Amino acid sequence: MPLSTKFALRERPLGIESVHELGAFRFESGEVLSNLRIACVSYGELSQRRDNVLLILPGTSHTRHSALGYIGPGLAFDTDHFHVVCVDSIGEGGSSQPADGLRGAFPKYGIRDLVRAQVELINLGLGLGGMPLAAVAGASMGAFQALEWAIHYPEAVRAAVLVVPSAQAGGVMRTVTRQMIEIIKLDPEWRGGDYLAKPLEGLSAAGRHYYPWTLTDEYLEICDPVVLAEEVEGAGRRFSQFDPWNLIRRYQASSQHDVALPFGASRTLALARVRARILVLPCRQDRLLGLESAKLIAQLVKHAAYAEIDSYKGHLAWRPVAGSQESQFVTQQIRSFLLPKSFAASAQ
């Protein structure tokens, strides 16, 4: 019986949506936003000891709902055990973002800014400070954030799940993102960033450009040409739904990330700060972020578990797809990491 079918016997509890205004927020750049807003949704009951909070962080183009396929009774993020909080990072969803009105004047932010805002959300907005989080988790940019939590707030988190992670965004992601932004700016509707109507053609072309880099050559070769064309067009449609400045600021944050920057460019010093247990779960064939940086995390973090997703879907292998081998594998790895006793008992 597939793992997801075996364990997911009941529906996911209804999510409780909330938006929190946290007051003035100073970014690493020194810029200040007068009133930072962060949105989130929570699932499952908070324990009496308030020690079962699991914080899920979104990828670059995702919101608080992106991990839903992994949330619920018996799934990777098990609501029978955890109070799961999914957050909208700065820049998209229901949180403060350039589309609120500032557009290009919205502060340039980095991954550590996102994490510091989440710390304020946990402590002030949700009133859950005082106990370490049971875990932080995320895929891609979500993994960037989870790792920064473990580095800069080592006493505030007991475990971290890093799916398709990296300690820094490498040359492929930096180059692809830079070209993606240039494509958007070629649209006549861009008007130097002061657009009257969204530059839809530029956004769509940027999405079509970006999508193949999230997959592998093998996938592009074996995929039916009609199906592949539909997928590429679908990526273009998804990008065209973004506000241009929202998209640009988020991808700038991801593509410029490096955990070593506050530590004299030393990833060794950065990763030595981690006290939490870490699950490192890259895809072996990921060409957008690569594999070597994920291996480095596992080597330099003291309490690290490591497993590789084997999939020609590359960077997209983490996405929850009902019944897929990739999702089965991700679910099994996360459950056995977060709930080793429960997982061992249920597998018997």
Side-chain angles (χ1 to χ4, degrees):
M1 181 181 294
L3 188 76
S4 59
T5 303
K6 180 177 179 180
F7 289 119
L9 303 178
R10 286 166 287 110
E11 292 185 1
R12 179 176 58 246
L14 292 176
I16 300 175
E17 301 273 0
S18 58
V19 179
H20 304 268
E21 295 188 355
L22 302 176
F25 184 84
R26 182 177 294 276
F27 293 80
E28 272 191 337
S29 65
E31 297 175 274
V32 176
L33 197 64
S34 61
N35 186 25
L36 179 67
R37 180 181 74 252
I38 298 291
C40 63
V41 57
S42 59
Y43 306 89
E45 295 184 5
L46 182 65
S47 66
Q48 289 186 344
R49 294 183 59 189
R50 300 156 59 89
D51 61 353
N52 69 331
V53 178
L54 194 164
L55 183 65
I56 299 181
L57 309 165
T60 315
S61 62
H62 297 130
T63 67
R64 63 192 181 278
H65 302 301
S66 60
L68 277 182
Y70 287 124
I71 299 170
L75 297 181
F77 305 116
D78 194 327
T79 49
D80 283 346
H81 296 269
F82 296 108
H83 178 63
V84 179
V85 178
C86 303
V87 67
D88 273 336
S89 295
I90 295 170
E92 194 48 75
S95 294
S96 295
Q97 56 193 266
D100 290 340
L102 289 177
R103 290 187 168 183
F106 192 90
K108 287 187 177 180
Y109 55 84
I111 303 301
R112 286 175 290 276
D113 290 315
L114 309 185
V115 170
R116 196 156 44 81
Q118 292 153 13
V119 172
E120 293 193 15
L121 170 72
I122 292 295
N123 292 337
L124 302 177
L126 297 174
L128 296 175
M131 284 292 293
L133 299 177
V136 291
S140 192
M141 190 186 83
F144 293 177
Q145 295 168 76
L147 183 56
E148 289 285 10
W149 262 93
I151 291 170
H152 291 276
Y153 304 94
E155 306 303 323
V157 57
R158 298 200 301 270
V161 176
L162 314 179
V163 187
V164 290
S166 181
Q168 71 162 146
V172 172
M173 188 169 184
R174 290 194 302 272
T175 302
V176 172
T177 297
R178 185 165 56 247
Q179 296 306 313
M180 181 188 78
I181 293 172
E182 290 303 316
I183 289 170
I184 295 172
K185 292 180 177 181
L186 288 174
D187 190 318
E189 296 289 352
W190 172 248
R191 295 168 56 92
D194 190 23
Y195 41 87
L196 300 176
K198 280 204 300 185
L200 294 176
E201 289 299 323
L203 287 166
S204 178
R208 298 195 303 271
H209 161 77
Y210 188 80
Y211 182 71
W213 289 97
T214 63
L215 297 164
T216 64
D217 284 344
E218 181 182 6
Y219 182 88
L220 298 175
E221 289 290 342
I222 68 175
C223 188
D224 179 272
V226 175
V227 172
L228 181 59
E230 291 175 350
E231 291 182 358
V232 172
E233 287 301 316
R237 287 192 297 271
R238 288 191 296 274
F239 267 52
S240 67
Q241 293 171 2
F242 279 88
D243 173 85
W245 277 114
N246 282 11
L247 186 74
I248 288 171
R249 285 286 185 263
R250 285 297 283 271
Y251 276 89
Q252 285 174 333
S254 266
S255 64
Q256 296 168 13
H257 180 57
D258 187 347
V259 299
L261 292 180
F263 302 96
S266 171
R267 292 180 193 89
T268 300
L269 290 178
L271 295 171
R273 291 177 53 86
V274 176
R275 297 290 178 267
R277 296 188 307 119
I278 301 287
L279 173 61
V280 184
L281 200 58
C283 177
R284 188 175 302 160
Q285 297 90 338
D286 188 342
R287 65 173 176 175
L288 186 66
L289 290 181
L291 194 63
E292 293 309 309
S293 188
K295 289 180 178 179
L296 182 69
I297 296 170
Q299 291 167 3
L300 295 180
V301 171
K302 186 174 182 180
H303 304 290
Y306 180 87
E308 293 176 3
I309 309 168
D310 185 5
S311 174
Y312 56 67
K313 294 181 182 177
H315 192 68
L316 300 186
W318 74 270
R319 290 187 175 179
V321 178
S324 74
Q325 291 183 351
E326 292 89 351
S327 293
Q328 297 285 342
F329 180 79
V330 169
T331 296
Q332 181 177 3
Q333 292 297 321
I334 293 176
R335 281 189 64 84
S336 61
F337 175 76
L338 292 178
L339 300 165
K341 295 180 181 179
S342 173
F343 184 85
S346 60
Q348 293 176 355

